C-alpha cells in the first residue's frame, strides 16, 4: 500500500497514530490521561472514572488499529468512513468537556472532531469519484 502513498494520506495516518498510541495512555496513568483529555481534577482522581477511561480508551485504540489495518489493505473508503464517523466522537467529547466546565477543551475537541470528519467526507468524495 505504501507504493500508492499520497500526501492526502498523512492526516488519516496521523489520526490513526494518535488514536492507537494515545489510547494506551490510561493503561499507564489513568489520572493523567483524564487530565490530558481536559476533565477536571475531581473526576481524574476518581477510581471509577479511571476504570471507565481505560475501558473507553481500549475502544479508541481499536479504532486506531482499524484505521491502520484498512489503510494497509488499501480500503481507503473504509478509512474515510471511519474518519467521518469520528466526528460524532468529537462532538460528544466536546459536549462532555463543556458540561464539566472546560470550554477551551470543549471547543478544541469539537473542532478537532469536525475537521477529522470533514477530511473523511472530502477524501471519501474523491475516492468514490474514481
Amino acid at each position: 500500500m505504501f507504493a500508492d502513498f499520497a500526501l492526502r494520506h498523512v492526516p488519516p495516518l496521523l489520526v490513526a497514530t494518535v488514536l492507537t498510541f494515545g489510547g494506551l495512555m490510561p493503561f499507564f496513568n489513568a489520572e493523567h490521561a483524564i487530565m490530558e483529555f481536559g476533565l477536571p481534577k475531581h473526576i481524574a482522581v476518581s477510581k471509577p472514572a479511571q476504570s471507565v477511561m481505560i475501558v473507553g480508551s481500549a475502544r479508541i485504540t481499536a479504532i486506531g488499529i482499524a484505521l491502520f489495518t484498512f489503510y494497509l489493505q488499501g480500503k481507503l473508503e473504509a478509512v474515510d468512513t471511519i474518519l467521518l464517523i469520528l466526528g460524532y466522537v468529537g462532538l460528544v467529547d466536546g459536549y462532555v468537556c463543556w458540561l464539566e466546565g472546560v470550554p477551551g477543551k470543549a471547543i478544541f475537541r469539537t473542532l478537532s472532531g469536525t475537521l477529522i470528519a470533514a477530511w473523511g467526507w472530502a477524501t471519501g468524495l474523491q475516492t468514490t469519484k474514481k
Side-chain angles (χ1 to χ4, degrees):
M1 186 61 207
F2 286 109
D4 298 323
F5 179 78
L7 283 178
R8 67 186 175 95
H9 298 165
V10 171
L13 291 173
L14 179 62
V15 170
T17 301
V18 169
L19 294 179
T20 301
F21 296 106
L24 295 174
M25 186 188 309
F27 288 98
F28 303 104
N29 189 339
E31 181 179 335
H32 177 73
I34 293 170
M35 295 293 294
E36 280 296 311
F37 183 86
L39 296 175
K41 182 82 170 167
H42 73 274
I43 294 173
V45 298
S46 164
K47 295 299 180 189
Q50 292 174 9
S51 294
V52 171
M53 183 68 163
I54 292 168
V55 170
S57 293
R59 287 153 176 76
I60 291 298
T61 297
I63 293 170
I65 293 168
L67 283 168
F68 277 125
T69 301
F70 289 137
Y71 179 80
L72 292 172
Q73 291 174 346
K75 297 177 180 175
L76 300 181
E77 289 178 356
V79 172
D80 295 335
T81 301
I82 292 172
L83 292 177
L84 182 59
I85 293 167
L86 283 171
Y88 169 74
V89 175
L91 291 175
V92 172
D93 288 354
Y95 176 70
V96 170
C97 287
W98 189 270
L99 289 179
E100 292 300 330
V102 280
K105 281 287 188 176
I107 292 168
F108 170 76
R109 294 203 166 274
T110 301
L111 287 176
S112 297
T114 302
L115 289 172
I116 290 167
W119 189 271
W121 179 73
T123 56
L125 289 178
Q126 291 175 359
T127 305
T128 56
K129 287 182 181 178
K130 290 184 177 180

